[in-house]
Amino acid sequence: MFSNTITYSQDSLPQFLMGTWKMEHKEVYEHWDMLTSVTMKGFSYGMQNGQPLVIEYLDLKNTGSEIFLAATIPGQNQGNSVHFKMTYSGNNYQFE
């Protein structure tokens, strides 16, 4: 879980995600970049034989009224993304 003291509104992208994060107790990482004011791109990866291995590609997009996460996992869903709507409460972001 990420926590931050910056206040975000329901329609703003979670910019605090920018950069590289490591999952606790695992050799799994997530990296995020801000592409435009309404789009972020990321990917998660693990390490295999000293080389990064992409686990999933991630896109966050602000449509103006809602934010959606699209996750694409190599070798699954015939290359199609799965979409999740973001909800925000306090310091918690959820994608359903």
Side-chain angles (χ1 to χ4, degrees):
M1 177 189 297
F2 303 110
S3 65
N4 199 320
T5 57
I6 299 172
T7 301
Y8 293 96
S9 66
Q10 182 71 25
D11 62 349
S12 66
L13 292 172
Q15 294 178 25
F16 67 88
L17 288 176
M18 288 190 298
T20 302
W21 299 82
K22 183 182 183 300
M23 188 178 280
E24 287 183 355
H25 311 295
K26 293 184 181 184
E27 289 299 314
V28 176
Y29 303 85
E30 196 167 286
H31 180 83
W32 285 96
D33 290 308
M34 189 84 169
L35 296 183
T36 69
S37 62
V38 296
T39 307
M40 293 179 73
K41 284 208 176 266
F43 61 97
S44 60
Y45 63 97
M47 300 300 287
Q48 185 175 39
N49 299 323
Q51 298 294 315
L53 177 66
V54 174
I55 299 166
E56 67 183 338
Y57 296 98
L58 305 162
D59 293 287
L60 275 174
K61 181 159 184 150
N62 182 335
T63 64
S65 60
E66 298 175 310
I67 296 175
F68 289 92
L69 170 73
T72 307
I73 299 173
Q76 290 189 11
N77 299 322
Q78 300 174 340
N80 295 316
S81 298
V82 177
H83 298 265
F84 303 90
K85 180 180 170 185
M86 184 185 93
T87 58
Y88 173 78
S89 176
N91 285 335
N92 296 313
Y93 290 84
Q94 291 183 316
F95 296 93
E96 327 183 49

